[in-house]
Amino acid sequence: MESTAWMQLHSVMNAQQERRPFDRATLRRIATFARPHRRRIGQFVVLSVATALLAVATPVLAGRVVDVIVSHGDQGTVVRLAVLIALIALAEAAFGILGRWLSSTLGEGLILDLRTAVFDHVQRMPVAFFTRTRTGALVSRLNNDVIGAQRAFSNTLSGVVGNLVTLLLTLAVMLTLSWQITLLALVLLPVFVIPARRTGSRMAKLQREAANLNASMGTRMTERFSAPGATLVKLFGRPEEESVEFAARARRVRDIGVRTAMAQSAFITALTLVSALALALVYGLGGWFALRGTLQPGAVVSLALLLTRLYAPLTSLAGARVEVMSALVSFERVFEVLDLKPLIEEKPDARAVPEGPAAVEFDNVRFGYPSADKVSLASLEEVAALDTRSGAEVLHGISFRAEPGQTVALVGSSGAGKSTIAQLLPRLYDTDEGAVRIGGVDVRDLSAESMRATLGMVTQDGHLFHDSVRENLLLARPGATEDDLWDVLHRARLEDLVRSLPDGLDTVVGERGYRLSGGERQRMTIARLLLARQRVVILDEATAHLDNTSEAAVQEALAEALEGRTAVVIAHRLSTIRAADVILVIEAGRIAERGTHDELLAADGRYAELHRTQFEKHAPRTNMTDIAGAGAGEAVAVA
């Protein structure tokens, strides 16, 4: 009884405090997830009923044993009753194990279905979704909320069915044995349930405060313990203040833990006392009736044993609504993510990119970043309401064409729209007006699979997963052989480095590849591009983190990799794009100039200005002041 009461308290603590109506739409959606498991759910319900029947049978048989003993009855009857009680105990144990297996199978099956549905759905979301949402909040939906929804099947379902049957049978048997004692015992029920309600409400507040503090500490630790975060703290942080602030929050969690433990202890003590009082009532009143000859001694024992099985289902059923509402809240939070429609969806009749060399075309493209309410959820951004204002237009009528095998370079100030153009080509965003075409087909009409097989991209951050060199490369082509891997590493000028690593290709590169230098990470992403062998390539500052020696080596590898391929190259170092077939100067979302390197220099416009800033003002200097000035001049060229 104590453990069941504790489960009741736990349910109250974790449920919403306000009254919420049942949402029929949510219930229907839950039914769709439960439908594949309906056979096991039926088996589980039948087993719960059978277990409840056995639970009531044992006290009745125990009373019969007492009556036989008191009446000096047949010894064989006592033995048979004892054997029957033992068999019931064995059956209860077996049913308990089977019920636990069915419960866990149902619960874990539901977790699998929900997690897979949420994961697959999130995978389809546009990049804008991930740039706005907090990763921790999104992961929480896959963990905490999915598990909360699972409890509706593994705990609530069995609790409601089993406890309802147990309660009805127990009351029926107790009323048959002595309706007076049964009614008096029920009078103590409010004394049993009210502490659970009040203590649960108090502990819920403590738990919420502790959860918020733990979440805050978790976020802080995640930020500070990541490689870039730890570097930032060491360079600019205040270790002493960081420690004091963290310790203060940890002490508050400790204090809450102590108060929670005391509340739990007081609750269990009160319930134990009420249980003891109820048993005293049964023994006292029942014994008085037995001595007067109006009640059999065995009935007193049966009533006492049945009483212990009466309060448990009563308290659980009293909190059934709380448990159901708590589960509904978890389901609603999961469905909230599933209901957020991806801004970019593949058409049912999407076609593959045409075979052969592929041209790239931007036709009068206009684009502004979507508003928050179109790509995100307030609960995932942890804000009260999402901004409904659309972003200002950042591209204004961009038109150009890269013929098959041509290289088009994009240069210009930071924020001019170069990376936005690069993101529209692989359809990370959709245009507002105009069209982006690959092989003469609008990218909105192409299948995602054929796009991935056709177009590759190297971004300026050189992101790698916390995995081995081998696995990071195989993302590009899972079927690649080891010889293929070493070939691309050689062409990216990384072969010697990887061979010198402790485990070679199986060496783990660390979170975001931070065990490698910036240049090494960038070359690793270039090796991945070389392995993919796509027909269209986007290089977004692909050589930004390389020294002059590495840059020259990688430029050779890129020249080989880009041979015969269509390429769009965003470059800061103008020296890397002198040989481009067409150079586009992007300013304020428009193409300000276009032409070859020599043509643009001769025009003496914005490109010539950028060229002079990088090359004429950055002549070799010998003192630190001049070097600092060179860095500032370079920053002006980028900004």
Side-chain angles (χ1 to χ4, degrees), residues 103-155:
S103 172
S104 61
T105 302
L106 280 171
E108 296 301 326
L110 184 69
I111 286 178
L112 173 63
D113 295 344
L114 284 174
R115 278 184 176 159
T116 303
V118 174
F119 184 85
D120 291 347
H121 185 75
V122 170
Q123 287 275 80
R124 295 167 49 218
M125 299 304 292
V127 171
F129 172 80
F130 298 98
T131 60
R132 301 196 65 93
T133 59
R134 292 190 64 175
T135 303
L138 190 57
V139 171
S140 177
R141 300 296 170 99
L142 278 167
N143 290 330
N144 301 336
D145 290 316
V146 166
I147 291 174
Q150 171 256 352
R151 279 198 292 266
F153 286 83
S154 61
N155 292 348

Side-chain angles (χ1 to χ4, degrees), residues 400-609:
F400 69 88
R401 179 178 174 86
E403 299 295 342
Q406 276 192 338
T407 296
V408 173
L410 308 179
V411 301
S413 304
S414 177
K418 304 185 298 297
S419 293
T420 302
I421 292 173
Q423 289 175 332
L424 291 176
L425 184 53
R427 207 189 171 195
L428 300 182
Y429 295 90
D430 272 343
T431 63
D432 295 331
E433 295 181 26
V436 178
R437 302 186 182 94
I438 297 178
V441 182
D442 194 316
V443 293
R444 290 168 290 197
D445 297 325
L446 296 172
S447 67
E449 183 179 359
S450 71
M451 288 274 287
R452 286 191 292 269
T454 302
L455 188 146
M457 185 172 185
V458 175
T459 58
Q460 54 188 312
D461 60 353
H463 187 84
L464 299 174
F465 289 126
H466 184 85
D467 211 330
S468 65
V469 172
R470 183 192 307 276
E471 293 303 319
N472 272 287
L473 291 176
L474 289 177
L475 283 171
R477 187 153 56 93
T481 66
E482 189 149 326
D483 288 341
D484 293 332
L485 301 183
W486 286 116
D487 176 61
V488 296
L489 288 171
H490 172 75
R491 292 160 62 190
R493 306 307 189 262
L494 277 174
E495 181 181 6
D496 292 341
L497 169 70
V498 175
R499 290 192 183 279
S500 68
L501 295 174
D503 298 313
L505 287 171
D506 295 316
T507 302
V508 175
V509 300
E511 183 182 6
R512 299 179 67 185
Y514 266 90
R515 294 182 187 175
L516 304 177
S517 70
E520 290 165 350
R521 288 198 305 274
Q522 197 71 322
R523 278 182 281 165
M524 188 71 71
T525 60
I526 292 172
R528 190 162 56 196
L529 174 71
L530 295 171
L531 185 65
R533 301 175 182 173
Q534 289 127 324
R535 289 176 282 161
V536 179
V537 173
I538 304 170
L539 305 178
D540 188 354
E541 302 281 8
T543 60
H545 300 296
L546 303 181
D547 55 40
N548 291 333
T549 302
S550 298
E551 179 185 348
V554 172
Q555 283 294 337
E556 294 177 7
L558 286 175
E560 178 185 346
L562 299 181
E563 182 69 31
R565 292 175 172 81
T566 310
V568 175
V569 180
I570 298 174
H572 160 64
R573 297 181 183 179
L574 301 185
S575 60
T576 63
I577 47 92
R578 286 180 176 177
D581 297 288
V582 179
I583 298 173
L584 304 178
V585 181
I586 310 297
E587 291 296 334
R590 293 181 171 84
I591 298 178
E593 296 178 313
R594 70 177 73 205
T596 64
H597 172 75
D598 292 334
E599 290 170 348
L600 292 174
L601 284 181
D604 197 26
R606 176 60 176 156
Y607 181 83
E609 181 184 351

Side-chain angles (χ1 to χ4, degrees), residues 328-346:
L328 281 178
V329 170
S330 295
F331 270 112
E332 287 172 357
R333 285 169 59 82
V334 172
F335 293 153
E336 185 184 27
V337 176
L338 294 177
D339 288 339
L340 183 61
K341 293 184 179 180
L343 196 62
I344 297 173
E345 293 191 280
E346 184 176 306

Side-chain angles (χ1 to χ4, degrees), residues 215-286:
S216 177
M217 287 194 300
T219 300
R220 198 172 190 84
M221 286 187 290
T222 301
E223 291 177 345
R224 268 61 176 178
F225 291 171
S226 66
T231 303
L232 187 63
V233 169
K234 289 184 179 298
L235 292 176
F236 301 104
R238 301 163 299 166
E240 295 80 8
E241 288 82 352
E242 293 271 349
S243 178
V244 168
E245 185 175 351
F246 182 85
R249 297 186 187 188
R251 278 193 294 271
R252 289 174 63 189
V253 173
R254 177 203 62 187
D255 295 340
I256 290 172
V258 173
R259 290 160 60 192
T260 301
M262 293 306 298
Q264 292 171 354
S265 177
F267 173 75
I268 294 299
T269 302
L271 296 187
T272 304
L273 177 60
V274 172
S275 175
L277 292 174
L279 282 174
L281 173 65
V282 170
Y283 283 125
L285 190 57

Side-chain angles (χ1 to χ4, degrees), residues 81-104:
L81 289 171
V83 170
L84 185 56
I85 291 173
L87 291 175
I88 289 176
L90 290 173
E92 280 192 279
F95 284 6
I97 294 173
L98 182 57
R100 181 57 184 162
W101 179 78
L102 284 172
S103 172
S104 61

